[in-house]
Each structure stands twice: as C-alpha cells, then as structure tokens.
Amino acid sequence: MDIDGSELLRLVEYFDGAQKEVAAKTYPTVKRHAEQLRDQWQENAFPTSRRHGKHYPKSITAEQEPIADAISWEVGPETRMRQGGMGRGFEYGSVNQPPHLDGARAAAKVEPEFMKSLDEIIRGLL
C-alpha cells in the first residue's frame, strides 16, 4: 500500500484528533467512577470499622494523580489523615482483627459499570 505525504498527514491529524476526543470523553468517566469507588468504600467501611476506627472511613479519598499522558486517580485511605494509616489493617486484617475487604467489595461493585462506560466510549469512537 502506498500512501503519499498528504494522506499520511491526514491520518496523523485523524488519530491526533481521536486521541484528544478519547481524553475528553474518558476523563469525566474515570473521575465519576473514582468518586463512586470512594463513596462505596466509605459506605462499606462505616459499619466494619466500628468505634475503634471511627475516623477511618473519612480518610478514604479519591484524588487525581498528576500524570501528563494518562488519566489516573488514586482511591483509598489517605495516610496523612486521621486513622488513614490503618488502611492495611482494616482492609487485609491484622493480629487484632479479620480482613474487612471494604475496598475490594467496593471495587467489585463499581467495576462492571466502569468497564461498561469505557466500552461505550470506545464503541462511540469506532
């Protein structure tokens, strides 16, 4: 297949435009689902953290990571917040308590809708 210079430039412009369109459509979807994951994780953590971890659910945050070429959000206990450093013990258990798996259960609930949303974005671009 032979492609002349002008055709190649049109292809580059098309794919560059597609990349921008993907980013524009994907960002709000990723943000929304990161916030849903945070909210679900907090909701799961309120009853399991009980009195000894009453501040732990509030330490669960959703923050965008500053990455130039990707859309990335970090969701989970913020160690700088009160009881945020207890996240591993609450999530995976310790000698003092069984695993709560609040984050894992939240991810299992949010993931199917997130994947469906990404699939819709991709299909819309084809």
Side-chain angles (χ1 to χ4, degrees):
M1 178 167 111
D2 292 331
I3 298 176
D4 68 32
S6 62
E7 289 175 304
L8 185 58
L9 286 175
R10 281 196 299 276
L11 280 172
V12 168
E13 287 174 8
Y14 172 79
F15 286 117
D16 185 47
Q19 181 180 3
K20 290 174 186 172
E21 186 177 354
V22 168
K25 289 182 176 183
T26 305
Y27 176 81
T29 299
V30 174
K31 178 182 179 190
R32 183 176 77 248
H33 285 89
E35 290 170 346
Q36 287 175 351
L37 177 59
R38 174 202 59 208
D39 296 347
Q40 184 63 53
W41 193 338
Q42 287 176 340
E43 186 179 312
N44 292 349
F46 275 111
T48 63
S49 59
R50 297 186 205 98
R51 191 176 71 227
H52 69 279
K54 66 181 180 181
H55 301 287
Y56 170 67
K58 291 179 230 141
S59 76
I60 299 165
T61 64
E63 299 175 358
Q64 182 180 5
E65 294 184 312
I67 299 174
D69 61 347
I71 301 168
S72 179
W73 285 71
E74 184 175 321
V75 180
E78 178 63 54
T79 57
R80 295 176 290 137
M81 296 178 74
R82 194 169 183 185
Q83 293 189 326
M86 298 171 72
R88 288 186 73 81
F90 280 119
E91 187 69 11
Y92 302 111
S94 69
V95 296
N96 300 316
Q97 65 184 342
H100 297 178
L101 304 174
D102 298 319
R105 290 184 294 121
K109 186 171 184 176
V110 172
E111 181 186 25
E113 184 62 34
F114 177 56
M115 297 307 290
K116 181 181 174 191
S117 295
L118 291 179
D119 184 61
E120 289 172 3
I121 290 169
I122 292 166
R123 289 179 187 278
L125 294 169
L126 298 177

